[in-house]
Amino acid sequence: MGEIYEARDRRLGRRVALKFLPHALWRDARAVERLQRDARIASSLNHPHIGSIHDIDAHQGTHFIVMELLDGLSLTERIRLGSVPAREVVEIAIQVAEALDAAHKIGVVHRDIKPGNIFLTTQGPVKVLDFGVANVQLAHRSLGEGGPQLYMSPEQARGDEIDGRSDLFSLGAVMFEMATGTPAFGGPTSALISDAILNREPPPASSLRTSVPPALEAIIVRALRKNPADRYQSATELS
């Protein structure tokens, strides 16, 4: 969903990242207004585990977002290197939950928690990316263009109203994949992925990787409950 370039802010003398989103999004005036509104809210999230948004600007009709430039690798890349040790799964999940807690307390739901939006910096802190951006991107992502997202909560897949507990479901799906190297919900078609998210339970994580401890498995199972009332009710509770 867009291209990212490294750039230099000449006024402040710092390296930044410029994210250019698809042109189709910018042709929708309501989407631009929504993005600007959400990004303003997201820019107020001054938290060590949230990637900072510095500005939204445009040049010759092309809109871009100026973001904090990070060194390291995405969680997607980390998972490709092999399943993540249980201790590391817990450390990453705690930091993501802390970021979500800060956002949820001011009414911001991320809506697109997935390995690609979680960044492991070389300095150590985990950063959650795309607060304020994911909401607009998802609104413009049709099922025909990419199918349902593997980390989407059941209520989000149905198009229902969501709250922070939806993000916690997505975090549970990310934790499952970190621990096992396998997506919690998958399938060869969009219909099967939707069915898995809505109606099926993933296999026990320990059945795919015997080193997953029972305590971690219990956390994942609760986070992935279909009914939001049966999940953790806040990111603080999960962490």
Side-chain angles (χ1 to χ4, degrees), residues 14-194:
R14 62 183 175 184
R15 296 161 63 224
V16 297
L18 303 183
K19 181 167 186 174
F20 293 83
L21 297 178
H23 288 287
L25 187 152
W26 303 115
R27 288 197 294 268
D28 185 338
R30 288 182 299 177
V32 172
E33 181 181 354
R34 186 177 187 180
L35 176 61
Q36 291 172 337
R37 182 197 66 212
D38 288 357
R40 280 195 297 270
I41 296 172
S43 67
S44 69
L45 293 170
N46 184 15
H47 191 277
H49 298 308
I50 294 177
S52 299
I53 295 177
H54 300 313
D55 197 7
I56 298 178
D57 208 340
H59 178 69
Q60 296 181 350
T62 300
H63 294 255
F64 58 89
I65 302 167
V66 184
M67 305 185 299
E68 176 183 10
L69 181 67
L70 302 170
D71 293 319
L73 74 167
S74 71
L75 185 55
T76 299
E77 295 168 308
R78 171 63 187 86
I79 292 172
R80 286 186 187 137
L81 299 176
S83 55
V84 183
R87 181 180 295 275
E88 190 176 348
V89 172
V90 171
E91 290 173 351
I92 292 170
I94 287 174
Q95 294 180 67
V96 173
E98 290 176 353
L100 292 175
D101 182 57
H104 295 166
K105 282 179 176 175
I106 65 169
V108 175
V109 180
H110 190 285
R111 299 174 181 267
D112 197 19
I113 292 295
K114 60 185 179 182
N117 280 334
I118 298 172
F119 198 86
L120 314 180
T121 69
T122 55
Q123 294 84 4
V126 173
K127 297 277 190 173
V128 180
L129 309 180
D130 273 7
F131 274 101
V133 180
N135 196 22
V136 176
Q137 291 183 158
L138 285 171
H140 280 70
R141 184 187 296 159
S142 70
L143 293 181
E145 290 172 339
Q149 298 305 294
L150 298 177
Y151 313 95
M152 188 177 286
S153 69
E155 59 270 27
Q156 191 175 6
R158 290 192 297 265
D160 296 343
E161 289 294 324
I162 66 171
D163 57 28
R165 294 172 295 180
S166 178
D167 283 344
L168 301 185
F169 181 96
S170 300
L171 177 54
V174 170
M175 293 174 67
F176 183 97
E177 188 169 347
M178 281 195 285
T180 67
T182 302
F185 307 101
T189 68
S190 298
L192 289 176
I193 294 172
S194 291

